Amino acid sequence: MSVETPDEQTPLDIAVALTQFREHILYVVADYDEPPHGLAIKADLEAIYHAEVNHGRLYPNLDQLVDNGLLEKGALDRRTNYYELTGHARRVLAAKHDWEATKLHGVQVP
């Protein structure tokens, strides 16, 4: 039997600790067939928020998701990076989805 230590976070622990903005970034990236570049992610977030998303907000959050192992970052050219979900990110999003499904099972959609 494995006992979880306080330092070991489950995918659900990580999911619920994400800011809503970072979660939205992961969902936007997940929606692409090919890894999107930063400006494509920015445009999709602006469509969701109906407001401008500043570079100073977007890119530090993308970098944090990379540092946390949830996104992989690669270079398309000298100035353009692309972002791709990691397997870890997919497990985190799946855990959040499963948890939400158990909590919303009785919600009726009009």
Side-chain angles (χ1 to χ4, degrees), residues 62-74:
L62 285 168
D63 288 340
Q64 189 62 54
L65 290 167
V66 170
D67 291 346
N68 291 342
L70 297 170
L71 289 178
E72 289 182 8
K73 178 179 173 179

Side-chain angles (χ1 to χ4, degrees), residues 32-101:
Y32 278 84
D33 292 331
E34 296 293 323
H37 54 82
L39 290 178
I41 297 167
K42 180 180 184 294
D44 285 357
L45 291 169
E46 288 174 345
I48 292 167
Y49 295 131
H50 304 286
E52 182 180 356
V53 173
N54 295 321
H55 287 80
R57 180 178 184 203
L58 176 62
Y59 289 99
N61 279 283
L62 285 168
D63 288 340
Q64 189 62 54
L65 290 167
V66 170
D67 291 346
N68 291 342
L70 297 170
L71 289 178
E72 289 182 8
K73 178 179 173 179
L76 289 173
D77 58 42
R78 289 183 354 176
R79 295 188 47 169
T80 308
N81 293 315
Y82 68 84
Y83 298 88
E84 187 171 17
L85 289 184
T86 63
H88 181 52
R90 293 180 192 286
R91 288 186 295 279
V92 166
L93 292 176
K96 176 89 183 272
H97 176 269
D98 292 347
W99 178 81
E100 287 174 340

